[in-house]
Amino acid sequence: MKRALHAEWTKMRTVPGPLWLLLGTVGTTVALSAAATAVVNCTANGCGGDTTKLTLIGVYLGQAPVAILAVLLIGGEYNSGLIRTTLTAVPRRATVLAAKAVTLTGVVAVGGTVAVLGAVLAGRLILPDLGDRELSPSSGPTLRALFGTVLYLILIGLLSLGVATAVRDAATSIGVVLGLLYIVPIVSQTISDPEWRRLLEKTAPMSSGLAIQATTNLGSLPISPWAGLGVTAAWAAVALMVGGLLLRTRNA
């Protein structure tokens, strides 16, 4: 395992793609969050909604580079044929996937933390009086939202890694993951039956997982924050299990 981890970390840090995608996550998250915060009409009493969730809205787009990074981690190797070299160097395929998952978790945790803290810092600078009160990391709900958002980004990365392992093509895997993240919530809004719409919102990986960002009016959510993150974790676990099984049973 140690050799596999070293190999994956070497591949991660010696090519420019992962760094640019992580910077894309940070830049997109902070920029979109700052823009959303700047255009909302806020007063000393609040912004008419969940201020913490507002400052983290950039994650909606910031998660896309994370998904692409995770897909390329193994999908890129399938496209280039490098996967044969990887599996020759480390014949135990479960070890290869585990090493990729651990490496991905580490880099996304760092990039996600920078992105989340940057978004909140931007919110505090744009809303100095309100931000000091409602965006304080010492607040339990705010801290849960920040920590949970980083976990959410990690889970999206692991979900994408599992999908790419199963599909074995980078472009197709990116389409599947982004469709799952962005198209499913759009489809849910077209459903007229409120019960079915609520069920879809509770089971889709993005709408359920991002419930972790909510700090107010939790009773109105389709699913509670930690339960929602658990749904996203279940998606990631299933994707990794299916991908791992197919990796072990198929030829490279």
Side-chain angles (χ1 to χ4, degrees):
M1 183 64 175
K2 183 177 180 181
R3 185 176 65 172
L5 282 171
H6 181 267
E8 292 303 325
W9 172 239
T10 300
K11 285 186 279 187
M12 182 78 75
R13 66 184 176 83
T14 54
V15 294
L19 176 60
W20 284 110
L21 286 168
L22 286 176
L23 290 176
T25 293
V26 174
T28 302
T29 300
V30 175
L32 182 58
S33 294
T37 305
V39 300
V40 171
N41 185 20
C42 298
T43 66
N45 296 323
C47 296
D50 192 331
T51 306
T52 301
K53 187 173 183 178
L54 173 65
T55 59
L56 295 174
I57 197 171
V59 172
Y60 278 86
L61 290 182
Q63 64 185 324
V66 169
I68 295 171
L69 168 62
V71 165
L72 293 180
L73 197 60
I74 191 166
E77 292 192 16
Y78 274 111
N79 285 2
S80 65
L82 182 60
I83 190 66
R84 297 184 181 89
T85 304
T86 298
L87 296 179
T88 299
V90 185
R92 299 185 63 179
R93 299 187 177 196
T95 301
V96 171
L97 184 58
K100 289 182 181 296
V102 170
T103 305
L104 177 68
T105 297
V107 297
V108 174
V110 173
T113 299
V114 174
V116 168
L117 292 181
V120 173
L121 177 60
R124 289 174 65 93
L125 293 175
I126 294 171
L127 308 170
D129 297 331
L130 187 62
D132 289 341
R133 185 175 72 251
E134 298 194 12
L135 299 176
S136 172
S138 62
S139 168
T142 299
L143 182 61
R144 184 255 297 154
L146 303 184
F147 179 68
T149 299
V150 175
L151 289 180
Y152 170 80
L153 289 172
I154 293 172
L155 291 173
I156 291 301
L158 295 176
L159 168 62
S160 304
L161 177 65
V163 169
T165 306
V167 175
R168 303 203 299 183
D169 178 76
T172 304
S173 299
I174 291 172
V176 170
V177 173
L178 296 184
L180 188 61
L181 293 177
Y182 295 113
I183 295 179
V184 173
I186 294 174
V187 170
S188 69
Q189 298 304 312
T190 66
I191 299 176
S192 58
D193 189 312
E195 292 299 325
W196 282 103
R197 183 169 63 249
R198 191 175 181 87
L199 177 62
L200 190 56
E201 291 173 347
K202 290 169 64 174
T203 54
M206 183 173 77
S207 57
S208 59
L210 287 180
I212 196 68
Q213 295 181 341
T215 60
T216 62
N217 299 321
L218 301 186
S220 64
L221 297 175
I223 191 169
S224 65
W226 286 114
L229 197 65
V231 171
T232 306
W235 276 92
V238 170
L240 285 173
M241 286 190 292
V242 172
L245 178 62
L246 292 175
L247 181 64
R248 294 184 62 182
T249 57
R250 295 187 303 197
N251 294 328

